[in-house]
Amino acid sequence: MKILVTGAKGFVGRTLVAELNTIKEGKDRTFDLESTLEIFPYDIDTDPALLEVYCKEADFVFNLAGVNRPKNQEDFMKGNFGFATTLLDTLKKYKNTCPVMISSSIQAALDNPYGKSKKAGEALMLAYAKETGANVLIYRFPNVFGKWCRPNYNSAVATFCNNIANDLPIQVNDRSHPMDLVYIDDVVAELIHAAEGHANRVGDYCKVPVEHHTTLGEIVDLLYAFKASRETLFVTDMLDEFSKKLYATYLSYLPVDKFSYPLISHVDTRGSFTEFLKSKERGQVSINVSHPTMIKGEHWHHTKNEKFLVVSGKGVIRFRAMNEQAMPAIPAVLPPNVKLVESALGPIIEYYVSGDKLEVIDIPTGYTHNIECLGDCDMVTVMWCNECFNPEKPDTFFEPVKK
């Protein structure tokens, strides 16, 4: 299959070409397109003679070329209608009636220069379909957002992401202004499905099936929350599709010298404890460093629970039931890394752990526990807790494992 992409260096065009190349290279097999496809990228700086070659050989055309913010209003019609005319005339010249997709806009329904130029392009395509019998796919896109979108051009989301990530001011005149949005990956997926013959048609038009409806104010609030997350450590709710996509977009606008950010470590003679990530829905992740021979913990929880993963060094995690009568029976044969030590307060279960063998240890409720570094070097443990620390309800009670 030979695919012509006009406007190949624009926001949608370059993302589509990048995905088509991954398919061609066999790196993405989630689509039905064969890796033998050929891609014909065409943009304003491409040799015009190549348009003749591409239009003669193309099996599918994505017409993404267009003008959003020209210097003169009359250039709207020239860029959005004029090139479409040239493209269709060239296809007709070679009697190529392959399917043609055109990138239009929801503004085609509005009475403004940009909308009128898009509407004229649509009418041109419909007339071409009637004349030649070619399959024409008109996509009226709402606001498209995602990585690689040019800020301060035609996308408020791109401008807000860029400015907030770079500590620049933004201007919001109406926080309640509604925003209908489609994410660039969803757009590209739909376009590839169209090339496969599975366009999502709605009447005379086609549309991206996944749309997000929000307001300018909600977008701005989310973006500032993303920015603050480096201090609060709270990550966005990844179950919310729009938040997940907006966060991915925001990160792409980070200045190259600010990809990293510091964390606050709580240091004492035993080592350090550093909170890494927090989530209202999924608790928090922390990094614990223990110096040789040092013991940490010595407490238990009613409901709070944790998972420990030693990733470097070696040590032992000890448990003693606060209610021995409620403790499950201890099997006669224990795993090689588990030992049982009798004490006056009840049996102590010892799990020997090492960064040489990654193994998650659950910290059950109702057991006082500690962790001791046994090696000659520091032991590093990744710790997950099912809830973020709440000083008003810590659910943490001091009790040595052995006395």
Side-chain angles (χ1 to χ4, degrees):
M1 190 174 192
K2 299 176 181 179
I3 297 178
L4 168 58
V5 182
T6 72
K9 293 183 179 179
F11 171 38
V12 177
R14 74 170 62 237
T15 311
L16 174 61
V17 169
E19 181 58 29
L20 290 172
N21 276 320
T22 64
I23 296 172
K24 183 177 180 180
E25 293 165 4
K27 297 177 181 177
D28 190 343
R29 297 195 173 110
T30 57
F31 297 100
D32 295 334
L33 287 181
E34 297 291 335
S35 59
T36 53
L37 65 88
E38 289 187 55
I39 307 162
F40 300 152
Y42 189 89
D43 212 281
I44 194 169
D45 57 353
T46 306
D47 182 355
L50 286 175
L51 188 63
E52 298 276 337
V53 178
Y54 295 162
C55 284
K56 181 179 180 180
E57 299 184 7
D59 298 308
F60 195 97
V61 177
F62 289 110
N63 183 28
L64 303 173
V67 176
N68 294 309
R69 287 197 175 185
K71 293 181 179 179
N72 303 305
Q73 288 195 351
E74 55 267 22
D75 288 337
F76 274 124
M77 195 63 72
K78 180 180 178 181
N80 294 327
F81 178 81
F83 178 76
T85 301
T86 301
L87 173 67
L88 298 184
D89 286 347
T90 310
L91 288 170
K92 285 191 287 186
K93 176 180 178 180
Y94 294 103
K95 297 181 174 56
N96 186 346
T97 58
C98 70
V100 181
M101 170 270 170
I102 182 173
S103 171
S104 189
S105 166
I106 54 175
Q107 292 201 39
L110 303 179
D111 186 20
N112 60 50
Y114 176 67
K116 288 179 179 179
S117 67
K118 286 295 187 181
K119 183 67 175 178
E122 292 179 0
L124 182 69
M125 284 289 171
L126 293 172
Y128 171 77
K130 187 175 182 180
E131 176 187 350
T132 65
N135 183 19
V136 169
L137 310 171
I138 301 173
Y139 280 85
R140 279 189 172 181
F141 292 131
N143 298 279
V144 184
F145 73 104
K147 67 182 183 306
W148 302 344
C149 187
R150 182 175 160 190
N152 302 306
Y153 185 56
N154 67 322
S155 169
V157 173
T159 302
F160 290 164
C161 285
N162 176 75
N163 288 19
I164 292 173
N166 288 275
D167 300 319
L168 299 173
I170 64 170
Q171 180 177 344
V172 180
N173 296 322
D174 181 5
R175 284 180 52 85
S176 64
H177 180 75
M179 293 288 287
D180 299 321
L181 299 145
V182 287
Y183 184 55
I184 187 61
D185 287 9
D186 295 327
V187 171
V188 167
E190 168 59 24
L191 294 184
I192 293 176
H193 288 319
E196 295 170 341
H198 309 302
N200 182 45
R201 285 189 176 273
V202 180
D204 293 333
Y205 302 96
C206 301
K207 65 181 297 183
V208 179
V210 182
E211 289 191 7
H212 302 282
H213 308 285
T214 183
T215 65
L216 277 177
E218 289 172 346
I219 291 171
V220 169
D221 290 345
L222 276 172
L223 292 176
Y224 276 119
F226 298 159
K227 184 180 181 68
S229 67
R230 290 183 161 203
E231 296 180 2
T232 66
L233 304 183
F234 278 97
V235 295
T236 187
D237 179 6
M238 295 299 172
L239 291 178
D240 182 271
E241 283 293 314
F242 178 66
S243 294
K244 181 172 71 172
K245 295 168 183 177
L246 186 63
Y247 184 60
T249 303
Y250 169 78
L251 289 179
S252 71
Y253 291 89
L254 286 176
V256 296
D257 60 336
K258 293 184 179 179
F259 288 176
S260 65
Y261 57 98
L263 297 173
I264 298 174
S265 294
H266 303 278
V267 182
D268 59 26
T269 56
R270 301 170 301 163
S272 64
F273 180 80
T274 307
E275 293 177 330
F276 172 33
L277 294 174
K278 294 182 179 181
S279 165
K280 294 178 180 179
E281 303 81 20
R282 300 290 186 268
Q284 72 177 53
V285 177
S286 305
I287 307 300
N288 183 76
V289 178
S290 301
H291 294 328
T293 72
M294 292 292 109
I295 298 176
K296 290 188 173 186
E298 306 283 42
H299 58 240
W300 64 282
H301 315 288
H302 279 298
T303 302
K304 180 184 293 186
N305 53 86
E306 301 162 294
K307 293 179 183 289
F308 289 1
L309 172 63
V310 171
V311 296
S312 178
K314 61 181 181 179
V316 59
I317 301 172
R318 300 184 180 92
F319 302 89
R320 178 172 60 80
M322 294 302 297
N323 182 354
E324 186 181 350
Q325 294 178 338
M327 188 177 76
I330 299 174
V333 179
L334 295 170
N337 67 319
V338 181
K339 293 183 178 181
L340 182 65
V341 178
E342 294 295 340
S343 76
L345 297 175
I348 297 173
I349 300 96
E350 297 183 336
Y351 274 77
Y352 288 82
V353 290
S354 168
D356 295 333
K357 181 184 178 182
L358 297 184
E359 185 176 29
V360 176
I361 308 296
D362 271 315
I363 310 299
T365 54
Y367 285 80
T368 184
H369 53 276
N370 66 29
I371 181 168
E372 180 181 358
C373 177
L374 298 179
D376 297 328
C377 60
D378 288 348
M379 178 175 63
V380 181
T381 307
V382 177
M383 295 181 170
W384 171 84
C385 184
N386 68 317
E387 61 184 37
C388 298
F389 179 69
N390 180 359
E392 297 181 0
K393 189 180 179 182
D395 188 10
T396 301
F397 309 98
F398 176 75
E399 179 69 28
V401 174
K402 53 184 179 179
K403 297 181 181 179

